[in-house]
Amino acid sequence: MPTDTTAGAPCVAFAAPPPRVVLDSNIWVDLLVFQDPHVAPIRADCREELRRVLAYPQFARFSVDIDAALAQVDRLATLEPAPDQTDFDAVRLPKCRDTDDQKFIELAHFSHAALLVSKDKAVLKLRSRLRRMSGVEILPPPAFAAWLAAATEASTAGADPR
């Protein structure tokens, strides 16, 4: 039965567990503050970064209820434990020019995500390097919507959505 949160959202049924998708903070802001239709099909995590970003002064005029927004994220996302320091030290991931966004690169790698969704130019520049080093694809929101549609179709046909 649809809830207020799921009503109108695309229903995706995967034969296997759904692929993991990491969203950067800008994508969550587009979802929770601006209700951007380009990111409507998207959901995932990096909670404390999101809390910090939602508290930015430029969002004050939107009267964002940060606790309610984070409660919605908690219903939609899965928290991932931090990687073991030994695992972290053993991996040489691409470095993002914007150090605030490095956590999303790391989360995507260590959570074995299929995708990292971002519209940040510094993150998008790492696309081929992260794919080559970690197998994680980086997509902007419009490309993610197309990927999700293809993954849903592939899942229905029994194929691997990755």
Side-chain angles (χ1 to χ4, degrees):
M1 172 171 278
T3 64
D4 289 343
T5 303
T6 60
C11 180
V12 180
F14 290 96
R20 289 179 184 252
V21 176
V22 173
L23 309 179
D24 76 17
S25 297
N26 288 326
I27 302 302
W28 277 111
V29 168
D30 286 349
L31 277 167
L32 300 170
V33 178
F34 301 120
Q35 287 87 38
D36 183 337
H38 291 103
V39 297
I42 300 173
R43 311 283 188 245
D45 190 43
C46 240
R47 196 175 189 283
E48 289 311 307
E49 168 74 2
L50 178 59
R51 176 188 298 279
R52 186 177 66 78
V53 169
L54 288 174
Y56 284 174
Q58 64 262 38
F59 298 126
R61 68 185 173 106
F62 293 100
S63 302
V64 177
D65 181 338
I66 294 174
D67 290 333
L70 291 173
Q72 183 176 2
V73 169
D74 291 342
R75 286 191 304 275
L76 300 170
T78 302
L79 289 175
E80 284 292 314
D84 180 279
Q85 189 63 41
T86 306
D87 293 338
F88 191 81
D89 291 342
V91 175
R92 294 191 47 83
L93 294 171
K95 297 292 182 207
C96 188
R97 206 170 29 97
D98 182 346
T99 57
D100 284 342
D101 289 327
Q102 186 65 31
K103 66 180 67 61
F104 298 107
I105 303 294
E106 294 164 1
L107 176 63
H109 171 79
F110 286 108
S111 69
H112 306 287
L115 294 172
L116 167 56
V117 182
S118 179
K119 60 184 186 178
D120 186 288
K121 289 177 185 173
V123 173
L124 292 169
K125 281 185 176 184
L126 299 176
R127 183 177 182 180
S128 63
R129 289 178 50 211
L130 187 62
R131 183 187 326 114
R132 188 174 56 252
M133 296 173 86
S134 188
V136 175
E137 185 68 52
I138 300 174
L139 296 177
F144 173 70
W147 180 91
L148 184 59
T152 303
E153 188 175 308
S155 175
T156 304
D160 182 359
R162 215 174 180 183

